[in-house]
């Protein structure tokens, strides 16, 4: 790669390197996480005391809609995909993903989806129907104006990127593993990435169909969800939750994969029950498609339906509990090192268990009917997605940061970040169990005095501000490490998987030589057979062989290309035109067609590539 193509803004706009795309996903996802955090803080300020008027009801509705939509689609999803992009090819011994330009296209359409959604903010037309956008609340009669259209179109364009990304990682893991890396030798994070990629391909299409139906109802006067025309608005709930519940596992299973790699590393023990952890993940994903109705117990589908889906929901507790016991058994008797990554892993085990137990309570229809739409559900959901997903992602961040940058984060600041986050999570959300059981409805912009809710809400608001405080040591740590971080070396944690065989940060071709794998945890079995010894190996093979600094033969990598960006711009123009401009839609279609054909006929290597 020439210097002109490897540096500068143009190199980022045209890159197809999975590691650079991972960094872009991470930066954008982190920015959206901060934005959603600010929205959450404003919500908590409004609820800090009864009958406050800090926010008016309309703005409150818009803020909780943007907060939920952003956290799920534009913070959680890209941060998960960032880890997929950076880690998976390195863990399986590949030089890139199967379709590098499709990978770049996935990022650009995701980014444009997020920017399009937030274009509604300066226009003062933010969507206000919740991240679930139930019909008939979101039909033109009850939600006039373009707010819900921003929601629908933003999720449609970003969903294209999610489906393309899921296909890319599914093909990558199935076809590009290093020689000898069988399925049962794959690291757990890669296993969870494989499962989640399949979930994305199965879960997003029905949601996409639902969004298109909603768009047609709103823009063209169709009646897919219009009860007066003989349709059923509950259809939207089915289409949404048959996606929405697996989406929870799309966000949580990668975190399970991360801690399944981190806990053995910092316990100096192989993962207890590796096959059981793998098949538990598969079973969680399979059962996840059979429980969406537990979000709809209050709709009135009947006792038989509720009983069947309630029983299926209870079954999910079994593979989930197995994973938790496997992690504890891995730590048991190990030589534990409580570095920051390990603290977040242990924090996930503790806090996700609380969220999981309250989830089992929701699986019982009579109990769920009492808790539906109360703050008890808010507490459960945040213990799962913050205690599970966010803690898992921070665990992975501290674990793989040295590999991505070549520098070690400061351990003291990292631990301060963990303990403040752990304190903030519990102070913010544990009191919501009580305010929920006292009957406080969720998504209400205020409450009356004398209901016993004042203290719990004040404590939750204090906890939310501790969350803000928890980001101070993180930002300080990043700044300090950027200025004078300690060099990381190849394998600072003495970890066991292939990404730690190469220099930090990895070269653009990843592996100078494609490694051969003959066992799980290859770097923890350093004995080199006599017949495979090379010059420089120590007697007995006491040192795991590292990747050479330079490849022994030229490595051919895909050239950068701007056509994925052009194609994504065309789709963005079509999306904007969806607000009511046929001319802009047609122009966007033309740009999309040009980008698609130019991409198709562009040679991926050598002369003629851009």
């Amino acid at each position: 790669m020439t210097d002109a193509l490897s540096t500068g803004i143009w190199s980022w706009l045209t890159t197809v390197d999975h590691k650079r795309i991972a960094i872009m996903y991470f930066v954008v996802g982190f920015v959206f996480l901060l934005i959603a955090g600010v929205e959450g803080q404003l919500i908590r300020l409004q609820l800090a005391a009864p009958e406050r008027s800090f926010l008016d009801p309309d703005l409150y509705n818009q803020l909780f809609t943007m907060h939920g939509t952003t956290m799920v689609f534009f913070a959680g999803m890209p941060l998960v995909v960032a880890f997929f992009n950076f880690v998976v090819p390195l863990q399986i011994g590949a030089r890139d993903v199967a379709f590098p330009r499709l990978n770049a296209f996935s990022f650009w359409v995701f980014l444009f989806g997020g920017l399009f959604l937030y274009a509604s903010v300066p226009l003062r037309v933010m969507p206000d129907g919740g991240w679930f956008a139930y019909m008939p609340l979101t039909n033109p009669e009850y939600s006039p104006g373009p707010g819900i259209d921003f929601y629908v179109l933003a999720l449609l364009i970003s969903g294209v990127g999610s489906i393309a990304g899921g296909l890319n990682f599914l093909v990558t893991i199935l076809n590009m593993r290093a020689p000898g890396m069988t399925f049962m030798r794959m690291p757990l994070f890669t296993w969870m990435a494989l499962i989640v990629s399949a979930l994305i391909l199965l879960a997003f299409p029905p949601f996409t169909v639902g969004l298109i139906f909603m768009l047609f109802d709103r823009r063209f006067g169709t009646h897919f969800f219009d009860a007066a025309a003989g349709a059923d608005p509950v259809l939207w709930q089915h289409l949404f939750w048959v996606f929405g519940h697996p989406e929870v596992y799309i966000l949580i299973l990668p975190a399970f994969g991360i801690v399944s790699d981190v806990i053995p590393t910092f316990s100096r023990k192989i993962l207890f029950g590796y096959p059981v952890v793998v098949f538990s993940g598969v079973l969680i994903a399979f059962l996840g498609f059979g429980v969406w109705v537990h979000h709809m117990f209050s709709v009135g589908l009947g006792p038989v339906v509720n009983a069947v889906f309630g029983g299926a929901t209870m079954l999910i507790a079994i593979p989930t509990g197995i994973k938790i016991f496997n992690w504890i058994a891995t730590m048991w008797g190990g030589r534990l090192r409580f570095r920051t990554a390990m603290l977040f892993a242990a924090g996930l085990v503790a806090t996700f268990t609380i969220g999981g137990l309250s989830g089992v309570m929701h699986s019982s229809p009579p109990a769920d009917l009492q808790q539906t739409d109360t703050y008890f559900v808010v507490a459960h959901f945040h213990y799962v997605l913050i205690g599970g997903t966010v803690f898992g992602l921070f665990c992975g961040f501290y674990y793989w940061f040295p590999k991505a940058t070549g520098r070690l984060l400061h351990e003291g600041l990292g631990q301060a970040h963990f303990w403040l986050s752990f304190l903030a999570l519990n102070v913010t959300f544990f009191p919501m169990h009580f305010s929920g059981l006292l009957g406080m409805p969720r998504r209400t912009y205020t409450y009356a005095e004398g209901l016993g809710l004042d203290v719990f809400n004040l404590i939750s608001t204090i906890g939310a501000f501790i969350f803000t405080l928890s980001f101070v040591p993180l930002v300080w740590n990043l700044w300090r490490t950027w200025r004078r971080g300690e060099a990381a070396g190849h394998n600072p944690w003495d970890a066991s998987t292939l990404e730690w065989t190469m220099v930090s940060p990895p070269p653009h071709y990843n592996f100078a030589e494609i490694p051969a794998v003959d066992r799980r945890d290859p770097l923890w079995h350093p004995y080199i057979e006599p017949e495979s010894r090379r010059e420089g190996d120590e007697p007995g093979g006491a040192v795991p062989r590292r990747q050479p600094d330079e490849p022994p033969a030229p490595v051919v990598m895909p050239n950068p290309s701007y056509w994925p960006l052009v194609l994504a711009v065309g789709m963005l123009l079509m999306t904007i035109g969806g607000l009511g401009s046929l001319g802009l839609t047609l122009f966007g279609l033309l740009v999309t067609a040009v980008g698609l054909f130019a991409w198709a006929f562009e040679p991926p290597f050598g002369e003629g590539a851009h």
Side-chain angles (χ1 to χ4, degrees):
M1 185 181 294
T2 66
D3 289 343
L5 294 177
S6 61
T7 60
I9 293 177
W10 185 249
S11 72
W12 289 94
L13 295 175
T14 61
T15 186
V16 296
D17 182 346
H18 71 96
K19 298 180 290 297
R20 285 187 151 209
I21 292 172
I23 292 171
M24 293 194 294
Y25 266 116
F26 187 86
V27 171
V28 174
F30 189 73
V31 170
F32 277 123
L33 178 69
L34 295 178
I35 293 172
V38 171
E39 291 161 350
Q41 297 286 0
L42 295 175
I43 292 170
R44 286 311 322 168
L45 270 176
Q46 169 63 22
L47 297 175
E51 300 176 3
R52 292 202 75 194
S53 57
F54 175 69
L55 300 175
D56 64 57
D58 290 337
L59 182 56
Y60 185 88
N61 291 345
Q62 293 169 359
L63 282 174
F64 78 65
T65 299
M66 295 292 280
H67 171 75
T69 305
T70 304
M71 284 297 290
V72 172
F73 295 101
F74 299 105
M77 285 290 290
L79 290 173
V80 164
V81 177
F83 282 97
F84 285 7
N85 261 286
F86 185 80
V87 177
V88 167
L90 301 180
Q91 283 198 331
I92 65 173
R95 289 199 165 112
D96 207 318
V97 296
F99 308 113
R101 286 183 292 183
L102 186 65
N103 199 22
F105 168 75
S106 300
F107 168 76
W108 291 118
V109 288
F110 144 73
L111 174 63
F112 291 155
L115 294 178
F116 179 79
L117 178 68
Y118 272 85
S120 65
V121 176
L123 298 175
R124 297 179 179 271
V125 289
M126 288 185 288
D128 58 358
W131 79 282
F132 41 82
Y134 280 165
M135 280 286 188
L137 175 65
T138 49
N139 70 20
E141 181 180 1
Y142 299 110
S143 293
I148 297 299
D149 297 321
F150 274 96
Y151 166 91
V152 172
L153 292 166
L155 296 191
L156 277 174
I157 186 174
S158 64
V160 172
S162 298
I163 293 173
L167 176 67
N168 208 346
F169 283 101
L170 190 73
V171 175
T172 299
I173 298 171
L174 291 179
N175 292 286
M176 298 183 68
R177 301 190 308 280
M181 181 172 280
T182 62
F183 283 113
M184 296 313 287
R185 291 175 181 166
M186 289 199 310
L188 255 299
F189 179 73
T190 297
W191 251 113
M192 295 305 114
L194 176 65
I195 294 169
V196 164
S197 298
L199 278 177
I200 289 173
L201 291 179
L202 295 171
F204 269 76
F207 182 49
T208 303
V209 169
L211 288 171
I212 293 172
F213 285 175
M214 182 182 288
L215 183 66
F216 271 61
D217 273 11
R218 290 184 56 82
R219 307 300 299 183
F220 305 116
T222 57
H223 304 286
F224 289 107
F225 305 113
D226 185 359
D232 187 352
V234 177
L235 171 63
W236 167 257
Q237 292 197 36
H238 284 291
L239 292 171
F240 180 83
W241 287 116
V242 80
F243 149 82
H245 196 76
E247 171 69 10
V248 175
Y249 302 113
I250 289 171
L251 295 175
I252 194 67
L253 285 176
F256 287 177
I258 291 171
V259 300
S260 297
D261 284 353
V262 168
I263 288 177
T265 298
F266 291 98
S267 302
R268 295 300 299 164
K269 282 177 64 182
I270 62 173
L271 182 67
F272 182 86
Y274 170 94
V276 178
V277 178
V278 170
F279 289 115
S280 295
V282 174
L283 188 57
I284 288 172
F286 177 77
L287 290 174
F289 273 103
V291 300
W292 79 90
V293 168
H294 77 219
H295 295 275
M296 303 164 57
F297 283 154
S298 60
V299 168
L301 298 177
V304 174
V305 173
N306 286 355
V308 169
F309 281 92
T313 303
M314 292 178 189
L315 288 178
I316 290 186
I318 297 174
T320 306
I322 288 173
K323 281 180 178 289
I324 291 170
F325 282 113
N326 279 82
W327 295 329
I328 295 173
T330 302
M331 289 187 275
W332 185 266
R335 287 182 287 152
L336 302 179
R337 295 176 293 163
F338 283 103
R339 306 296 291 264
T340 305
M342 183 63 170
L343 286 174
F344 272 106
L348 180 149
V349 175
T351 54
F352 177 81
T353 300
I354 296 173
L357 289 174
S358 59
V360 174
M361 297 169 68
H362 296 311
S363 65
S364 169
D368 183 83
L369 288 172
Q370 296 298 315
Q371 298 156 0
T372 291
D373 281 339
T374 70
Y375 262 81
F376 193 91
V377 179
V378 180
H380 157 72
F381 190 63
H382 284 82
Y383 263 94
V384 169
L385 287 188
I386 294 182
T389 300
V390 175
F391 273 28
L393 294 176
F394 276 130
C395 171
F397 171 77
Y398 282 96
Y399 185 60
W400 282 299
F401 184 89
K403 178 54 61 182
T405 66
R407 298 187 179 192
L408 288 167
L409 289 162
H410 188 271
E411 188 61 27
L413 291 171
Q415 297 204 9
H417 174 214
F418 166 75
W419 286 113
L420 283 172
S421 301
F422 188 78
L423 176 67
L425 169 66
N426 288 287
V427 173
T428 305
F429 297 108
F430 200 78
M432 292 184 186
H433 290 102
F434 301 104
S435 52
L437 289 175
L438 288 172
M440 180 172 176
R442 62 193 300 192
R443 309 182 194 105
T444 181
Y445 91 106
T446 190
Y447 51 94
E449 284 187 283
L451 298 176
L453 303 173
D454 308 19
V455 173
F456 295 123
N457 277 286
L458 179 60
I459 294 173
S460 291
T461 300
I462 293 171
F465 280 92
I466 299 175
F467 255 125
T468 301
L469 187 63
S470 73
F471 279 83
V472 173
L474 172 63
V475 174
W476 183 12
N477 206 350
L478 291 171
W479 172 260
R480 181 188 179 282
T481 304
W482 179 60
R483 297 296 298 268
R484 50 187 172 92
E486 180 185 351
H490 285 65
N491 190 358
W493 313 128
D494 196 15
S496 66
T497 44
L498 288 180
E499 70 269 30
W500 305 102
T501 61
M502 65 189 68
V503 67
S504 307
H508 73 279
Y509 48 78
N510 291 350
F511 294 91
E513 295 178 317
I514 297 298
V517 179
D518 59 1
R519 53 175 64 86
R520 200 182 302 151
D521 301 309
L523 300 191
W524 281 0
H525 300 272
Y527 182 76
I528 300 174
E529 299 290 343
E531 60 271 19
S532 61
R533 283 180 188 160
R534 299 177 187 172
E535 184 179 355
D537 287 342
E538 292 187 3
V543 179
R545 184 178 292 135
R546 293 173 177 167
Q547 285 283 310
D549 292 337
E550 297 293 334
V555 178
V556 179
M557 297 296 294
N559 281 332
S561 173
Y562 52 71
W563 290 117
L565 175 58
V566 172
L567 181 60
V569 168
M571 295 188 67
L572 174 63
L573 294 175
M574 292 172 60
T575 301
I576 298 172
L579 292 174
S581 172
L582 178 61
L584 188 57
T585 301
L586 293 175
F587 179 66
L589 182 62
L590 175 64
V591 175
T592 301
V594 170
L596 188 62
F597 277 95
W599 175 355
F601 289 101
E602 180 187 41
F605 307 104
E607 295 289 333
H610 297 279

